[in-house]
Amino acid sequence: MKSLENGSSNIRLAVLIDAENVSASVIEPLMQEIAKYGTANVKRIYGDWTSNQLNSWKSKLNKLAIQPMQQFRYTAGKNATDSALIIDAMDLLYTGNFDGFCLVSSDSDFTRLASRIRESGLIVYGFGERQKTPEAFVVACNKFIYTDILDNKKASKNQDLTSNKQLLELLKSAYESVADEEGWAHLGPFGSQLTKLSPSFDSRNYGYKKLSELVQSVDIFEIKKTRFHLTIKLQ
């Protein structure tokens, strides 16, 4: 599996979007976010494009070179979109042409798909709404980004984190896993460990654009800055 670190432009990604479970208003910042992790060699979006419910998407597809995949609703209450996306994902997986997948949906139906792709050694990035996405789908991904943080109207403001026990325990656990014998931990490995422990961890969930800003705000670490690195030590 290739690295999750930002700036890996050589990572080939397949982007599969469930149009019925994602707002069209976040597609531009979502594609910008995906570009941090690799190059989207395939971009497909699934839905019943004969339905007026998807009109908000149509003006954006050509602009972003996203291929619409038509799925008619053959039976009331059955979601043909999910099945089509899953089948295409498996076909793409078997080509061996990709290093990772971006699954854009808030639907629990893609939990097993995410797990299956990871079993093949590929990276899975999930994207979905915070209030709608089940925890099972979140933890099935290597990293999960809540689309709320990509929407300026919904993005969180800076929070006081000194009393957030769950977050503090997560930070301490990640720190203890990567600290050296003198108790110092580099911010890069620390951030990677946070994602391993909690795929949905993102400093933007708490209103901070960078992990370094969040680390400073919790006030439990001694921070040492050099020209090229930032290291932390639990106080």
Side-chain angles (χ1 to χ4, degrees):
M1 182 187 296
K2 293 191 178 183
S3 171
L4 288 171
E5 296 297 322
N6 291 355
S8 301
S9 59
N10 61 321
I11 291 181
R12 303 162 299 175
L13 298 174
V15 180
L16 307 179
I17 306 169
D18 176 5
E20 298 173 355
N21 275 289
V22 179
S23 171
S25 64
V26 301
I27 188 60
E28 286 91 350
L30 187 147
M31 295 308 300
Q32 293 172 7
E33 180 75 14
I34 289 173
K36 295 179 182 180
Y37 307 109
T39 300
N41 287 359
V42 165
K43 294 179 285 185
R44 298 180 184 175
I45 185 167
Y46 298 77
D48 183 358
W49 300 101
T50 64
S51 169
N52 292 331
Q53 295 179 349
L54 299 183
N55 284 344
S56 58
W57 279 103
K58 294 177 182 178
S59 63
K60 300 177 182 290
L61 301 186
N62 286 338
K63 177 182 176 182
L64 297 170
I66 301 174
Q67 182 181 4
M69 309 298 288
Q70 172 61 33
Q71 289 300 316
F72 293 101
R73 292 180 177 272
Y74 298 109
T75 305
K78 297 294 184 181
N79 195 339
T81 296
D82 292 1
S83 299
L85 191 156
I86 292 169
I87 291 170
D88 277 8
M90 296 307 297
D91 286 344
L92 293 169
L93 174 64
Y94 291 140
T95 66
N97 292 333
F98 300 92
D99 303 302
F101 281 72
C102 297
L103 304 179
V104 186
S105 179
S106 303
D107 197 326
S108 63
D109 289 351
F110 300 113
T111 301
R112 180 65 187 118
L113 174 62
S115 297
R116 177 63 183 83
I117 294 171
R118 289 186 67 181
E119 288 169 4
S120 295
L122 276 67
I123 302 167
V124 179
Y125 298 99
F127 297 82
E129 295 182 31
R130 188 191 311 268
Q131 299 300 323
K132 295 181 179 180
T133 308
E135 185 67 15
F137 181 30
V138 172
V139 299
C141 300
N142 293 94
K143 182 174 179 62
F144 198 94
I145 298 95
Y146 291 121
T147 54
D148 311 55
I149 64 177
L150 307 177
D151 188 337
N152 290 331
K153 295 180 180 179
K154 296 180 180 180
S156 300
K157 297 180 180 179
N158 287 9
Q159 303 171 28
D160 179 7
L161 305 177
T162 55
S163 60
N164 188 327
K165 294 182 179 180
Q166 184 176 6
L167 173 63
L168 295 178
E169 287 301 316
L170 174 63
L171 295 175
K172 291 177 182 177
S173 294
Y175 162 81
E176 290 169 357
S177 297
V178 298
D180 62 22
E181 293 182 357
E182 297 180 351
W184 290 98
H186 287 281
L187 197 66
F190 174 65
S192 297
Q193 185 65 19
L194 283 169
T195 301
K196 290 179 182 178
L197 295 175
S198 177
S200 64
F201 175 82
D202 195 305
S203 59
R204 293 170 295 180
N205 290 332
Y206 305 95
Y208 296 90
K209 291 183 178 181
K210 298 180 179 180
L211 176 58
S212 59
E213 296 174 354
L214 183 147
V215 166
Q216 292 178 54
S217 72
V218 296
D219 200 30
I220 62 172
F221 294 107
E222 179 183 349
I223 299 172
K224 182 169 62 176
K225 296 181 181 179
T226 65
R227 183 179 178 183
F228 300 106
H229 300 288
L230 187 150
T231 55
I232 61 174
K233 187 175 186 179
L234 192 63
Q235 294 182 346

